[in-house]
């Protein structure tokens, strides 16, 4: 299995299309296992939760230092053994 994280920022229509494709078995060995948003109110997080996908939030407000931001995002993804990142909004 290829563990996929999807990075989102808004309503999550691209994420929903990916989740629907996953439900239809169209992602092959890939499975969306984590969704991260830079906005805690992003509806995409609800879409993920509705598909039992773990979510996280990391914003520039939460971590304004760009080096630490990158490190924190890396740590979030590494802790979940993410193999692939998809940018979806």
């Amino acid at each position: 299995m290829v563990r996929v994280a999807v990075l989102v920022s808004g309503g999550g229509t691209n994420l929903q299309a990916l989740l629907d494709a996953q439900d239809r078995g169209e992602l092959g060995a890939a499975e969306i296992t984590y969704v991260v948003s830079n906005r805690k109110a992003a509806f995409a997080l609800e879409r993920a939760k509705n598909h039992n996908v773990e979510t996280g939030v990391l914003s520039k407000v939460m971590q304004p230092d760009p080096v630490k931001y990158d490190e924190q995002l890396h740590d979030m993804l590494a802790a979940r053994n993410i193999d692939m990142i998809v940018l979806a909004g």
Side-chain angles (χ1 to χ4, degrees):
M1 173 179 69
V2 177
R3 298 173 62 84
V4 177
V6 182
L7 305 186
V8 299
S9 62
T13 54
N14 291 329
L15 172 64
Q16 187 65 57
L18 291 167
L19 291 168
D20 291 345
Q22 179 174 275
D23 290 346
R24 292 188 302 267
E26 297 173 354
L27 298 187
E31 181 179 346
I32 299 167
T33 59
Y34 193 44
V35 172
V36 181
S37 178
N38 63 331
R39 295 178 42 230
K40 65 182 177 181
F43 187 68
L45 297 173
E46 291 302 313
R47 293 180 191 267
K49 290 174 187 173
N50 290 338
H51 279 79
N52 298 313
V53 175
E54 183 183 4
T55 62
V57 176
L58 179 62
S59 71
K60 303 272 183 186
V61 172
M62 295 167 61
Q63 182 50 265
D65 181 291
V67 172
K68 290 181 180 177
Y69 179 93
D70 289 348
E71 289 172 353
Q72 190 169 351
L73 180 58
H74 174 270
D75 292 347
M76 292 167 72
L77 299 171
R80 289 155 183 90
N81 299 312
I82 297 301
D83 300 304
M84 180 185 297
I85 300 167
V86 175
L87 306 178

